[in-house]
């Protein structure tokens, strides 16, 4: 039975995974386990070299040079130890991905559009990693700068399991866990690997069943069936779409999450089932945990967050969603999506504050 071809993200990553990425991830696993067994002290550098080689192999010398240039520029700007300047640099680097002349030049480097998109997605995610490292560099005392060298930045930026699509791991967490040397057990790691593979295979089978049998995205791409459907049917389609999105990211984040575990790191929690969520706030906290931690640590809290005045909270929340919308591409529909999510979070938090007033509690 033919599959629904309208979900670009699933088709794209499954195709790349089968042809190249899964094999490169298997190579990373092999290098990681050997280095943990024989040269634990040099594990970060072994993984860094492997990640750089994998990047060169998939993206070519020019793609590799672009990512290395982004890292070098971010590191150079971080030397000024000004958070505002670091953010300005990050936004400028991110904006270069949307300059038509630059896009056209990068397209000419590759034979197919899919190869160009791989570079685009990879650089977008690497921008967040460069931002995380640079801000941590700005915030740490001079005595701690040795743990924030350019070599550590390369180890972080070129860490292969999270290289193309995440999940996002902040540099402070990555560095702390990567430096930690633990007792290595082949038997324990093997059991973690086998159980993890079984779980991911189950999720992948479920996602494939959904995309071969339900045709959710194909229905959404045509106005005629949507116009003739009842409100109940439309609600069911919407639920089916978000459930597929959830299962899809169990696979897309489950594979790198398993490799993080095998490397002795703690991956961000996998997405929480959308059927268990009833609020915008919980959705943002529980679906993409790595991105949520990034946004809270580097945007929301530095801008004041919930500890500031009402206006400050509104502003810090608005800036957080504005960045998310811009990072995802900045198209008009993303700004609407970000604004509606911002409004949902504000209404929820405002309602909670009102309901916490003693007089209202007494009335309830």
């Amino acid at each position: 039975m033919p599959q629904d071809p309208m979900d670009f993200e699933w088709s794209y990553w499954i195709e790349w995974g089968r042809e190249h990425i899964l094999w490169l991830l298997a190579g990373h696993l092999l290098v990681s386990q050997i280095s943990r067994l024989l040269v634990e002290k040099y594990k970060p550098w072994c993984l860094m070299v492997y990640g750089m080689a994998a990047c060169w192999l998939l993206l070519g010398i020019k793609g590799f040079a672009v990512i290395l240039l982004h890292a070098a520029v971010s590191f150079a700007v971080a030397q000024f130890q000004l958070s505002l300047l670091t953010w300005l640099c990050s936004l400028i680097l991110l904006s270069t991905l949307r300059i038509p002349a630059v896009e056209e030049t990068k397209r000419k480097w590759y034979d197919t559009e899919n190869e160009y998109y791989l570079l685009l997605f990879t650089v977008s995610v690497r921008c967040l990693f460069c931002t995380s490292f640079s801000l941590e560099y700005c915030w740490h005392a001079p005595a701690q700068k040795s743990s924030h060298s350019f070599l550590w930045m390369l180890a972080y930026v070129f860490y292969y399991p999270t290289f193309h699509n995440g999940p996002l791991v902040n540099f402070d967490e990555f560095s702390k866990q990567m430096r930690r040397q633990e007792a290595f057990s082949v038997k324990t790691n093997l059991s973690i690997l086998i159980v993890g593979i079984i779980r991911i295979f189950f999720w992948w089978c479920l996602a494939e069943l959904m995309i071969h049998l339900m045709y959710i995205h194909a229905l959404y791409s045509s106005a005629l069936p949507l116009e003739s459907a009842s409100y109940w049917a439309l609600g069911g389609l919407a639920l089916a779409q978000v459930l597929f999105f959830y299962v899809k990211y169990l696979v897309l984040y489950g594979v790198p999450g398993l490799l993080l575990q095998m490397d002795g790191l703690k991956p961000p929690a996998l997405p929480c089932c959308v059927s268990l969520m009833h609020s915008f706030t919980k959705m943002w906290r529980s679906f993409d945990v790595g991105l949520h931690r990034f946004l809270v640590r580097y945007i929301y809290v530095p801008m004041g967050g919930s500890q500031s005045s009402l206006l400050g909270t509104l502003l810090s929340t608005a800036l957080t969603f504005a960045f998310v919308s811009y990072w995802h591409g900045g198209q008009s529909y993303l700004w609407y999506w970000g604004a509606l999510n911002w409004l949902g979070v504000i209404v929820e938090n405002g309602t909670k504050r009102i309901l916490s007033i003693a007089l209202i509690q007494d009335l309830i």
Side-chain angles (χ1 to χ4, degrees), residues 218-293:
L219 286 168
Y220 269 110
S221 66
S222 176
L224 189 61
L226 295 179
E227 288 171 355
S228 60
S230 66
Y231 290 129
W232 281 104
L234 290 173
L237 280 171
L239 179 60
Q241 189 178 42
V242 294
L243 284 171
F244 176 75
F245 191 75
Y246 159 65
V247 175
K248 173 170 66 177
Y249 268 86
L250 286 179
V251 177
L252 296 182
Y253 280 177
V255 173
L258 176 59
L259 289 175
L260 280 160
Q261 281 185 282
M262 298 296 291
D263 290 344
L265 309 181
K266 184 180 180 182
L270 289 173
C272 184
C273 180
V274 291
S275 296
L276 301 176
M277 298 184 193
H278 60 274
S279 74
F280 284 94
T281 308
K282 186 177 179 182
M283 181 71 179
W284 279 97
R285 284 178 180 167
S286 309
F287 194 85
D288 192 336
V289 175
L291 180 61
H292 175 259
R293 288 175 181 169

Side-chain angles (χ1 to χ4, degrees), residues 36 43 159 173-174 177-180 182 257 259-267:
R36 287 191 75 184
K43 181 182 72 174
Y159 181 67
E173 299 168 16
F174 175 85
Q177 293 176 37
M178 190 62 84
R179 290 170 185 279
R180 188 177 58 215
E182 297 178 328
L259 289 175
L260 280 160
Q261 281 185 282
M262 298 296 291
D263 290 344
L265 309 181
K266 184 180 180 182

Side-chain angles (χ1 to χ4, degrees), residues 84 295-296 298-324 335 338-339 342-343 345-346 349 353:
L84 187 60
L295 296 171
V296 169
Y298 301 121
I299 302 177
Y300 185 70
V301 170
M303 289 303 299
S306 58
Q307 302 304 313
S308 61
S309 64
L310 177 60
L311 187 62
T313 303
L314 291 173
L315 177 63
S316 54
T317 310
L319 285 174
T320 302
F321 282 110
F323 176 76
V324 171
W335 292 112
W342 173 77
L343 187 62
V345 169
I346 291 303
N349 289 333
R353 287 191 179 189

